[in-house]
Amino acid sequence: MAERTGKRIAILALHIESNRFAPPVGRADFEEKVLLYGDEIMADAAREHPRMVGTMTGFIHAMNQAGPWTPVPIVNADVGAAGPIDHEFFLELQAEMRERLEAAMPLDGVYFGEHGAAVSTEIPDPDGVLFKMARDVVGPDVPIISTLDLHTNISEEMVDATDALIIYRTNPHVDQYERGVEAAGSMHELLGNVTATTAFIRLPLVAPQVTQLTASGPYGEIIDYGQTLIDDTVMNISIAGGFTYGDTPQNGMAFLVTTRDDMATARRICRDLAERVWNYRERFTPNLTSLEDCIAGAVARGEDHTTPSTIIADVADNPGGGGRGNTAWLLQGLYEAGAKDVILGVFNDAALAAEAHEKEVGETFEASFNRDEPDQYSNPFAAEATILALSDGKIIGRDPGSRKNMSINLGPTTALQVGAITVIVISIRQQCIDPGYFENFGVSVADARTVVVKSRGHFRAGFLPYFPPERVIECDAPGLTSPNFENFEWNGFKRPIYPLDQDADWTPPNW
Ligand SMILES: [Zn+2]
């Protein structure tokens, strides 16, 4: 092959975090986000503002810098957090990946930029299926490495089919690019003489998503401790917090220690990490504020400007966890209580945004929020609203975390004044992770007394300059991503599991 210079590395990704309680997604949903084939992947990685997640661009950039190689871009399918992937579409995607991998043989390595918390409408572990498919195609000797979101649910199949799994170490995720770069480094090692050996433990512990921050707290502590053990033998230590709402048999905090062919060391460290966490498992308890108290606090701040402004995270309606971004419990409560100087974003309602776009800035109309999807997880609300701004919703991310510099498309967007509340209404579902989601539409975050964001935790990086951790409140409202486990009917977990089963037990493996 004339163009063959350097190693031939396949690049592919299914990037979805599936909330089993949310509506399924198919090809059209992926196309609306990021569905790229072949050379489109390399073209996107070369853009100033790529659409792919940072692990993909980090891997590609690092491989480019390290010297001649032959990238074999296959498929990048990224829909972010959503519901289960439609099984028919998953089978199509799997077939496309397999065909393209087979056509590309011989390959020297395979890189997946996976999220790791996919479920389909029929199976609990599409990620494991894809890794195994790749292993079947390339055979036992070709290295397969995947990066994974820290909210991955790790199955035995995922571990068995790959040589190394490299998980983000930050939440909010600010190290995606670095992990992609790390994966490229590991790929070079495995293309040389190094054999990766991994120990894996999964605890019967589903840590509520709001307890998985890494700047401090029980999860951050164990990640930081793990990093002190990296040395010439230990290549990577990855600790998956997991994604509760996947509701799968592979749910549970997971520990992966990858060594340069030293299984005894991998096992010793893996067991140490898991035991430490199991011994303090009761620390993974959410600290939520009731809806009533959130509203009362906002009313008080609107009256008394000597108190510090505060941000309320509507953690139960987090589009970054598969929420629809359209519950109105906080909006309605704040409106009816007469809370002042409140800004709320981003409310996902394409019908409402479209209606506003048929009108002019300054017009007043009866705004019907969430007319299309009211159900047990999401209430509707209507009130008179005045249009403050209209936009196509195309912005560049500036939050220092996961979407900095990326092209972000919110779809047709409007800023509405509803009582003393300014609401940003968007048309393409997103979590509100960046002050730019307000400020691009003329709404000041600095001047608000109360900011409400539909996000579980990723807003913390971007909004940190305005709101240090002590001025963040997590609201116990209803919704598809409520950290209040009593709001769901779980049927996928292996039971018993903590904290649903307080008497759940775990015995370390007898290695
Ligand atoms: Zn995540």
Side-chain angles (χ1 to χ4, degrees), residues 101-431:
L101 281 173
E102 283 172 348
M105 289 293 285
L107 288 163
D108 298 301
V110 178
Y111 168 68
F112 278 93
E114 210 80 347
H115 179 290
V119 305
S120 90
T121 47
E122 290 184 23
I123 61 169
D125 183 24
D127 300 302
V129 169
L130 291 183
F131 292 172
K132 178 156 190 323
M133 174 276 294
R135 177 59 73 202
D136 289 346
V137 172
V138 300
D141 300 327
V142 171
I144 300 178
I145 295 178
S146 182
T147 46
L148 295 166
D149 192 285
L150 148 174
H151 299 110
T152 173
N153 296 320
I154 306 274
S155 67
E156 285 73 6
E157 290 72 18
M158 289 164 70
V159 180
D160 290 347
T162 54
D163 293 276
L165 297 173
I166 296 171
I167 299 176
Y168 310 161
R169 299 203 287 266
T170 58
N171 182 23
H173 308 322
V174 295
D175 65 333
Q176 294 162 304
Y177 190 90
E178 282 170 70
R179 298 287 75 74
V181 171
E182 180 183 343
S186 301
M187 182 63 79
H188 281 294
E189 285 202 54
L190 300 193
L191 291 170
N193 291 325
V194 171
T195 300
T197 306
T198 299
F200 166 52
I201 291 176
R202 186 178 54 235
L203 289 176
L205 163 64
V206 281
Q209 307 305 133
V210 291
T211 66
Q212 293 183 24
L213 296 171
T214 55
S216 62
Y219 189 46
E221 285 170 25
I222 197 68
I223 290 178
D224 289 348
Y225 170 66
Q227 291 314 298
T228 66
L229 307 175
I230 299 290
D231 60 17
D232 289 347
T233 304
V234 183
M235 270 176 100
N236 179 272
I237 294 181
S238 286
I239 303 172
F243 184 62
T244 311
Y245 311 102
D247 191 23
T248 68
Q250 69 266 20
N251 269 91
M253 191 172 285
F255 302 80
L256 292 158
V257 178
T258 301
T259 59
R260 297 176 179 87
D261 207 15
D262 184 343
M263 186 53 111
T265 297
R267 286 177 164 174
R268 178 176 52 75
I269 293 173
C270 193
R271 184 178 157 138
D272 173 33
L273 295 168
E275 281 182 325
R276 282 169 187 259
V277 168
W278 186 250
N279 289 338
Y280 64 59
R281 61 192 177 280
E282 74 287 345
R283 290 178 65 197
F284 292 93
T285 303
N287 177 21
L288 302 175
T289 301
S290 72
L291 182 57
E292 295 69 34
D293 287 353
C294 287
I295 291 164
V299 170
R301 280 187 297 279
E303 300 298 336
D304 178 4
H305 285 222
T306 63
T307 55
S309 60
T310 297
I311 192 164
I312 299 174
D314 191 359
V315 295
D317 187 28
N318 170 28
R324 306 296 299 161
N326 62 8
T327 70
W329 281 286
L330 267 164
L331 172 58
Q332 180 172 5
L334 292 163
Y335 174 80
E336 289 174 353
K340 296 193 186 105
D341 297 326
V342 177
I343 64 174
L344 185 152
V346 282
F347 200 101
N348 172 42
D349 193 327
L352 181 55
E355 193 181 345
H357 273 256
E358 286 167 10
K359 304 179 191 301
E360 306 283 328
V361 171
E363 264 190 72
T364 295
F365 70 114
E366 180 76 1
S368 173
F369 290 86
N370 190 24
R371 71 194 78 170
D372 290 334
E373 297 182 357
D375 64 16
Q376 59 169 315
Y377 299 110
S378 186
N379 65 328
F381 169 65
E384 191 173 87
T386 303
I387 300 172
L388 300 178
L390 295 166
S391 161
D392 67 3
K394 293 195 170 123
I395 63 176
I396 302 297
R398 54 167 238 225
D399 119 62
S402 49
R403 310 204 79 186
K404 186 174 184 177
N405 212 31
M406 284 173 67
S407 302
I408 298 171
N409 185 4
L410 305 173
T413 295
T414 182
L416 298 179
Q417 191 68 37
V418 185
I421 305 164
T422 305
V423 185
I424 307 294
V425 181
I426 62 168
S427 304
I428 298 177
R429 198 173 54 91
Q430 322 263 334
Q431 79 171 298

Side-chain angles (χ1 to χ4, degrees), residues 9 47 76 79 97 240 276 323 329 351 430 440 487:
I9 312 296
R47 290 173 66 194
N76 177 85
V79 75
M97 287 179 171
R276 282 169 187 259
W329 281 286
Q430 322 263 334
N440 276 289
N487 292 346

